Amino acid sequence: MPLTVSLVDGIGGYRNLVRAFVRGGCAALDRHGPWMLDVAEFERMRRQRDAGT
């Protein structure tokens, strides 16, 4: 099964994550994952998304 990745870098997406956290704590954020810990990988994916690939 392919992994679907969504990057949150806009204020709207950020607010949605904050709202989910306020309502349910860290457990409420699980459905928004998986989470990236590698900054270089995040930047690579962000650039790919912005380039439309």
Side-chain angles (χ1 to χ4, degrees):
M1 178 168 67
L3 177 64
T4 301
V5 176
S6 176
L7 301 176
V8 177
D9 60 357
I11 191 69
Y14 175 76
R15 285 180 177 160
N16 286 338
L17 288 179
V18 170
R19 191 177 301 118
F21 179 76
V22 168
R23 289 182 181 155
C26 291
L29 298 177
D30 286 345
R31 68 182 181 106
H32 296 282
W35 298 95
M36 281 186 181
L37 299 177
D38 184 356
V39 174
E41 179 70 6
F42 173 81
E43 281 299 316
R44 184 186 66 74
M45 294 182 81
R46 186 182 64 79
R47 288 183 182 135
Q48 282 182 346
R49 182 206 56 197
D50 292 348
T53 61

